[in-house]
Amino acid sequence: MNRIPNEKTPVFKETGKLALGELAVSALTVGVYLLIGKFTPGVIVGVLAGTLVVLLNFFLLAYSVNRVFDDMMEKRGEGEMSEEEIAKFTETYKAQVALKTRTSFLLRTLLLIAVPVACFLLPFADGIASLVPLLAEHPILMFVGWLSSPKGQKSGEKGGGQG
């Protein structure tokens, strides 16, 4: 199975949408710093660091989920499975999937914590500016999901939103 996402997978498309939203948030953040007279080059470093860590986190999440899914589909093989075969397959690979998922989560969480902490500690970065992109990720994803949902469907209805 293909291990590297390609242009046919939604990983790059969704990461691109998030990147556009984060770029807008970063520009607004810099604008606010300019308006209040607190702009320094560290603000640019902070928003760039925060934006990069958000995008890397999002991409790695999508990539790791796709990879685990592809691995399981490869191990499953072709054809129908009986209830017993499904139960045996699930029992056999449940711990492996859980370990891969937990490892990905732990590494991504450490990244999400380490970068803003570094921005607060380093004299050439603005810690608050690094937090803004992290805090904006979920609202951006909700907004993108709202824009992507078919017109006339409320969130939660079948076929609408992010799932």
Side-chain angles (χ1 to χ4, degrees):
M1 292 254 142
N2 187 7
R3 295 266 187 225
I4 299 173
N6 59 40
E7 60 276 358
K8 293 179 183 154
T9 64
V11 175
F12 287 115
K13 185 177 178 182
E14 295 303 314
T15 304
K17 290 176 185 177
L18 178 61
L20 289 174
E22 289 290 353
L23 181 64
V25 166
S26 295
L28 285 171
T29 303
V30 169
V32 168
Y33 270 86
L34 284 168
L35 282 174
I36 64 173
K38 298 285 186 181
F39 180 80
T40 66
V43 172
I44 299 292
V45 173
V47 294
L48 284 176
T51 297
L52 289 175
V53 77
V54 164
L55 295 176
L56 183 61
N57 175 62
F58 183 81
F59 180 82
L60 290 175
L61 170 63
Y63 178 74
S64 65
V65 167
N66 284 343
R67 185 173 174 178
V68 167
F69 181 79
D70 288 347
D71 285 347
M72 290 304 109
M73 290 305 292
E74 189 175 306
K75 288 176 181 168
R76 181 192 177 278
E78 299 293 323
E80 295 292 318
M81 294 176 82
S82 68
E83 297 272 336
E84 295 81 24
E85 290 171 323
I86 293 170
K88 183 179 178 192
F89 181 84
T90 302
E91 190 59 39
T92 302
Y93 294 108
K94 180 172 48 174
Q96 181 182 349
V97 169
L99 177 63
K100 287 180 180 182
T101 304
R102 277 195 306 269
T103 302
S104 170
F105 176 76
L106 178 63
L107 293 174
R108 290 180 303 99
T109 301
L110 289 174
L111 183 67
L112 287 170
I113 293 169
V115 169
V117 167
C119 286
F120 274 101
L121 296 176
L122 296 171
F124 57 85
D126 187 290
I128 294 186
S130 74
L131 289 176
V132 174
L134 276 73
L135 296 172
E137 179 184 14
H138 289 285
I140 290 169
L141 291 174
M142 287 173 47
F143 181 71
V144 167
W146 177 75
L147 287 178
S148 300
S149 67
K151 300 244 187 254
Q153 281 189 331
K154 297 175 186 163
S155 66
E157 287 183 8
K158 196 168 187 151
Q162 291 180 339

